[in-house]
Amino acid sequence: MTAWIGLYRVPLTCAAVPEIACGCLSKPLLQRLEDDPDVDTTWIHRTGGLIAVQWRQPVPLGQQLAPVAQALGDGTATGMPPEATSALLGTLGDSGQWYSRCTVDRLSEEEAGVLASRLVEHLVDARIPTPDGAALRSDLEAVLRDVLVTQDDIPLGVRLQRLLESARGVLRKHLDAPSFRMCEPFLSTIALLPTNVGQAEPGFLGGIDSVLGYGVTKAFDPVFRMALGRRPAAFHI
């Protein structure tokens, strides 16, 4: 299993759920890599920090990075020396740690579940009545999963907007008009970011600003803080 397999560090951690890899970014990357005639199989590690590539024949380390960097599109992949990879290579058979092109959608499905739970939790925190929280969460998860799994190869900003639009449609269906109006102060793309974004480094906030097209710090105004109740920093995705 470990013959002709290389490990490479990559920046594919999910911005919304930092504990896992981003399925939306990982899936097209694995597909592009497997289009390379020298590549047999690829995997993304659950953390999003590593990919594994099984080559069809031995490839010198110095020649491995070019196709990986090309598939990433930004040249940020770095190789790992053989002596540092042996323990990790031994875990490749663990489907809970490594995801192939055919199973990577499971990460997006997990992300959808986390996002749905967070959105429902925001409603609870803001004391917005939810007649059937379980049904609301289930419907939110379904529409978010559809965006993440079937619309994976689109820019991050577009994906955030589509997630938000889908969630808004479900909330409008489940909540009465007064309750839905109570949601609107925090139904923005900032709702799709981790709750600790308010304590993030300035560089991180600047990067998010560039994606969303406006200043994240405007979200931390009194209305937003009041809507969030006990968690004034920001939202998870």
Side-chain angles (χ1 to χ4, degrees), residues 91-145:
T91 68
L92 270 177
D94 186 345
S95 61
Q97 292 193 52
W98 294 94
Y99 298 79
S100 69
R101 178 176 55 85
C102 296
T103 63
V104 71
D105 282 342
R106 296 208 308 262
L107 291 166
S108 295
E109 292 167 358
E110 181 176 347
E111 180 183 353
V114 172
L115 304 190
S117 295
R118 287 174 175 173
L119 286 171
V120 172
E121 187 178 347
H122 293 324
L123 299 181
V124 173
D125 287 351
R127 297 178 175 81
I128 296 174
T130 53
D132 189 340
L136 172 59
R137 185 202 176 282
S138 178
D139 286 355
L140 282 169
E141 182 175 0
V143 298
L144 297 176
R145 180 173 60 243

Side-chain angles (χ1 to χ4, degrees), residues 216-235:
V216 164
T217 52
K218 71 184 289 186
F220 309 125
D221 60 21
V223 173
F224 188 84
R225 291 173 182 272
M226 181 173 62
L228 278 176
R230 63 181 173 82
R231 290 191 300 171
F235 285 109

Side-chain angles (χ1 to χ4, degrees), residues 123 128-129 164 167-187:
L123 299 181
I128 296 174
L164 185 63
R168 182 179 281 111
V170 171
L171 291 170
R172 193 184 298 275
K173 169 187 171 184
H174 280 264
L175 304 178
D176 58 28
S179 295
F180 182 77
R181 284 195 295 272
M182 291 173 66
C183 295
E184 296 199 275
F186 53 78
L187 278 179

Side-chain angles (χ1 to χ4, degrees), residues 4 39 77 132 151 166 190 231:
W4 305 338
V39 173
D132 189 340
Q151 305 177 40
S166 298
I190 196 69
R231 290 191 300 171

Side-chain angles (χ1 to χ4, degrees), residues 75-97:
T76 54
T78 57
M80 295 181 66
E83 60 272 16
T85 65
S86 57
L88 285 166
L89 288 174
T91 68
L92 270 177
D94 186 345
S95 61
Q97 292 193 52

Side-chain angles (χ1 to χ4, degrees), residues 146-159:
D146 181 66
V147 173
L148 293 171
V149 172
T150 66
Q151 305 177 40
D152 48 67
D153 201 7
I154 57 176
L156 173 60
V158 176
R159 188 182 312 124

